[in-house]
Amino acid sequence: QKEVEQNSGPLSVPEGAIASLNCTYSDRGSQSFFWYRQYSGKSPELIMSIYSNGDKEDGRFTAQLNKASQYVSLLIRDSQPSDSATYLCAVPLYNFNKFYFGSGTKLNVKP
Amino acid sequence: GAVVSQHPSRVICKSGTSVKIECRSLDFQATTMFWYRQFPKQSLMLMATSNEGSKATYEQGVEKDKFLINHASLTLSTLTVTSAHPEDSSFYICSAEVGGDTQYFGPGTRLTVL
């Protein structure tokens, strides 16, 4: 089992819809969780971090964390074509500072 | 967010030459930086963890004598690809750790070895 798993997609949604991106992780001791966006040919850009169970909202983005289920998700409301990118879930290994990255989910938002 | 720069953004070199890539934290001090490599359509692969003032920690399968990492100051880490070969052509990305757990990425360096 990989440390962090994501559906590779592509996930296609129409413009204006809600895009839901999911991630599961294996280390029950993990305390922090991150979502990055990576456009083709560019480096990852931090979107959100979440540390506590529940929802965390930032603009059109909402991160959801369920530690009991070892599950973290990212919702993008009112999806725009500019949101089309690969979204990476990152989880630091408990007690260490390096990240495990999921393989990323490619999102396509169709105009 | 924190700003991390990389230089050069793109480099083309001949096989057998060495290439140095710089990673700088512009508005903060970074005790720990990370070096990643990404091949087309693949995910990030962590190469090494770079700690200021000490030796880098390399991931399994990464040749430390080929990928030399120096983190001589709190704002600069360098990666030198020694005797580069075409199979080393890749997108090299550094990141800097902030606040103990958050990583901010540099813009990346695209290396092409002819």
Side-chain angles (χ1 to χ4, degrees):
Chain A
Q1 182 188 5
K2 292 184 180 178
E3 289 83 6
V4 179
E5 297 207 51
Q6 293 180 256
N7 187 318
S8 60
L11 172 66
S12 292
V13 300
E15 184 175 355
I18 296 176
S20 178
L21 305 163
N22 304 315
C23 171
T24 58
Y25 60 95
S26 62
D27 187 353
R28 281 197 171 276
S30 296
Q31 298 295 315
S32 52
F33 307 86
F34 301 85
W35 282 100
Y36 288 84
R37 176 176 62 197
Q38 186 175 24
Y39 291 112
S40 180
K42 302 295 185 182
S43 67
E45 170 192 11
L46 180 65
I47 297 176
M48 289 189 72
S49 60
I50 186 167
Y51 300 85
S52 303
N53 279 327
D55 295 359
K56 178 183 178 182
E57 188 174 317
D58 183 0
R60 295 188 296 113
F61 299 97
T62 298
Q64 299 176 317
L65 175 60
N66 184 326
K67 290 185 179 180
S69 300
Q70 294 175 246
Y71 176 93
V72 58
S73 64
L74 180 70
L75 302 179
I76 307 175
R77 288 183 300 283
D78 188 24
S79 295
Q80 301 296 308
S82 59
D83 295 325
S84 298
T86 296
Y87 289 81
L88 301 168
C89 173
V91 182
L93 177 65
Y94 179 63
N95 233 17
F96 291 91
N97 58 4
K98 67 180 185 181
F99 279 9
Y100 284 102
F101 279 92
S103 56
T105 299
K106 185 175 174 61
L107 172 66
N108 290 327
V109 180
K110 299 181 177 180
Chain B
V3 179
V4 179
S5 71
Q6 271 184 254
H7 179 80
S9 59
R10 186 179 295 269
V11 59
I12 301 173
C13 69
K14 293 182 179 180
S15 184
T17 60
S18 293
V19 175
K20 179 185 280 189
I21 302 169
E22 293 186 348
C23 177
R24 293 183 184 272
S25 56
L26 295 188
D27 52 357
F28 64 101
Q29 294 183 328
T31 305
T32 303
M33 291 183 173
F34 301 87
W35 287 96
Y36 294 84
R37 180 166 56 179
Q38 188 174 36
F39 293 105
K41 299 190 186 301
Q42 295 187 23
S43 190
L44 294 168
M45 187 193 81
L46 179 64
M47 299 176 67
T49 302
S50 169
N51 293 298
E52 186 269 336
S54 63
K55 290 184 179 180
T57 303
Y58 290 82
E59 294 299 301
Q60 191 172 9
V62 178
E63 299 174 59
K64 62 180 181 181
D65 294 329
K66 179 170 183 63
F67 299 99
L68 302 179
I69 292 172
N70 183 281
H71 193 158
S73 80
L74 287 171
T75 60
L76 174 64
S77 176
T78 60
L79 168 68
T80 301
V81 183
T82 63
S83 186
H85 289 93
E87 58 266 29
D88 298 322
S89 298
S90 187
F91 190 39
Y92 291 86
I93 313 171
C94 72
S95 71
E97 181 185 270
V98 175
D101 65 355
T102 304
Q103 289 187 32
Y104 288 91
F105 286 85
T109 297
R110 193 161 301 282
L111 170 64
T112 303
V113 185
L114 303 177

